[in-house]
Amino acid sequence: MKARAIDAGLIALAAADIYFNPLTDAPAGVAVAVLACAALALRRRFPLLVVALTLPAALVQGALVAPSVALYTLARQSRDRRLLIACAVVASIVGAVPSPFDEDPGDLVSSLVYFGYTVATSAFPVVLGQLVQARQELRQRLVEIEDAKEHERVLHAQAILARERSQLAREMHDVVSHQVSLIAVQAGALQVAAGDPQTREAARTIRSLSVGTLDELRTMVTLLRSSGDDTTELTPQPTLADLRTLVGNSGIEVELSGDLALPVGTPAQRALYRTVQEALTNVRKHAPGASATVEVWHDGKVVGVTVTNGPPSRPSLPLPGARQGLVGLQERADILHGSFESGPTSEGGFQVRMKLPILTE
């Protein structure tokens, strides 16, 4: 509807241009004027044909609007520069040539001067159309680039979460396999010591199921490990006992406080360790020269760690940061039924806190 309204307005403007400044009232002149105005209705579908149909009106009636609109439409849709230059030159020549109905054609000098004028009037819509076309293409390319970047960010976030889930799966495997192994051992002992045949049979069944569960669990973890290229996942995973080493090797002035021998399970200890590791890494990257405090705490039901750093003492380097490390910590907290918070402090620093329920192994 908007395009039709614009076309109607341009047709009316072209008609007014010829109506108020006609070179002749001859029937042939009126016919070419009507043809030029009507042809503008087809400019979007047949721009080159419309240019050809408006040129007679420029020759006979001195029309300016209709040929300019036709040239602009052609330049906006066509990528052929040679065709556009040819059309502009032809339009300039047609506009400079005296009308066959003109009784005083004038001299050659006036025709050359008028040709310079028509060159300018013909080149302007062509240049304008090309600029609009380039702007549309640039806008489309920018949209494609933004879509590609967004897709890349999504894939990167998914890869980070997948790696974090794989790490958590391995850590949970260590805990589950340990406890299932204990169940199998206790069931085996019960099977040997029990005097009741039903009790021995129940113990044998429990031991058999435990062993089968361990085999299936180990098979699944082996398949997960073999699908990745990161062999560091097979190394022993750190716990709270390794926090002093982490703080000592951080290269930051860090004050560590709290009880590192907390009665919590291995997955929770590793999650708290990773929280301190990620927080100190971010301090080195984004707050150079800042000091930090690491507090490990618990209240009997909840265990947590809080890492707070002050403002940087020197300018930070523009290092990349997609906050995917914080996303991974949030993922760990959700899986372990805890909570994770991060944000700036009122003193210009940054604080990271993770809270987890106390679940002993």
Side-chain angles (χ1 to χ4, degrees):
M1 185 63 68
K2 182 179 179 180
R4 294 181 179 179
I6 293 176
D7 289 342
L10 291 176
I11 291 174
L13 184 62
D17 172 50
I18 299 175
Y19 179 79
F20 290 105
N21 298 283
L23 295 182
T24 179
D25 294 333
V30 175
V32 296
V34 172
L35 179 62
C37 294
L40 293 180
L42 304 175
R43 68 187 183 93
R44 300 178 188 273
R45 298 182 59 185
F46 309 104
L48 184 58
L49 176 62
V50 173
V51 171
L53 294 178
T54 56
L55 290 180
L59 174 64
V60 176
Q61 295 286 19
L64 180 62
V65 174
S68 298
V69 172
L71 287 173
Y72 166 79
T73 305
L74 179 63
R76 185 176 177 179
Q77 298 183 10
S78 177
R79 299 176 182 273
D80 191 346
R81 300 291 178 83
R82 290 177 295 182
L83 175 63
L84 296 177
I85 294 175
C87 290
V89 171
V90 172
S92 302
I93 295 175
V94 170
V97 171
S99 171
F101 295 98
D102 193 354
E103 297 179 356
D104 184 15
D107 56 4
L108 180 60
V109 175
S110 60
S111 297
L112 292 177
V113 171
Y114 197 68
F115 175 74
Y117 169 75
T118 56
V119 167
T121 55
S122 299
F124 175 75
V126 172
V127 174
L128 181 61
Q130 287 286 279
L131 289 177
V132 173
Q133 182 189 95
R135 183 188 178 198
Q136 289 178 339
E137 291 178 353
L138 180 60
R139 182 185 304 170
Q140 183 178 0
R141 294 293 177 84
L142 290 177
V143 171
E144 293 175 356
I145 292 174
E146 287 299 323
D147 292 342
K149 286 185 176 180
E150 181 63 26
H151 183 63
E152 183 179 354
R153 282 193 292 266
V154 171
L155 291 179
H156 182 60
Q158 291 176 350
I160 292 292
L161 294 180
R163 186 166 62 249
E164 199 68 32
R165 290 191 181 104
S166 177
Q167 182 71 15
L168 287 173
R170 181 187 183 276
E171 295 173 3
M172 293 301 295
H173 162 262
D174 295 340
V175 177
V176 174
S177 62
H178 173 68
Q179 297 189 6
V180 174
S181 298
L182 291 178
I183 294 174
V185 171
Q186 295 295 330
L190 179 61
Q191 181 182 0
V192 173
D196 185 5
Q198 293 183 351
T199 303
R200 287 198 302 270
E201 181 61 23
R204 188 195 66 78
T205 302
I206 294 175
R207 183 177 183 278
S208 177
L209 292 175
S210 300
V211 173
T213 301
L214 278 175
D215 289 339
E216 292 182 2
L217 185 60
R218 287 166 180 166
T219 300
M220 292 177 61
V221 172
T222 300
L223 291 175
L224 288 174
R225 290 174 178 176
S226 63
S227 64
D229 296 327
D230 191 359
T231 58
T232 60
E233 293 186 359
L234 303 180
T235 59
Q237 298 301 304
T239 60
L240 288 179
D242 301 300
L243 273 184
R244 296 191 186 279
T245 302
L246 174 65
V247 169
N249 297 332
S250 65
I252 304 172
E253 182 182 349
V254 182
E255 179 183 351
L256 176 62
S257 62
D259 185 7
L260 301 185
L262 295 177
V264 293
T266 304
Q269 291 193 43
R270 290 170 182 167
L272 297 177
Y273 180 92
R274 295 302 183 191
T275 301
V276 177
Q277 185 182 47
E278 178 65 25
L280 296 182
T281 299
N282 288 338
V283 173
R284 286 196 302 268
K285 289 173 57 177
H286 306 298
S291 60
T293 59
V294 178
E295 179 185 3
V296 182
W297 50 268
H298 71 95
D299 59 4
K301 295 183 179 179
V302 177
V303 63
V305 63
T306 303
V307 183
T308 307
N309 65 272
S313 60
R314 57 179 185 270
S316 60
L317 297 176
L319 298 175
R323 298 180 64 87
Q324 296 301 329
L326 301 181
V327 173
L329 295 178
Q330 181 67 60
E331 184 79 7
R332 283 178 176 267
D334 293 341
I335 292 177
L336 297 175
H337 306 288
S339 64
F340 176 76
E341 301 174 355
S342 64
T345 63
S346 58
E347 292 79 12
F350 199 83
Q351 185 177 83
V352 172
R353 172 178 293 182
M354 177 176 284
K355 296 189 295 184
L356 301 173
I358 295 180
L359 297 173
T360 57
E361 290 189 315

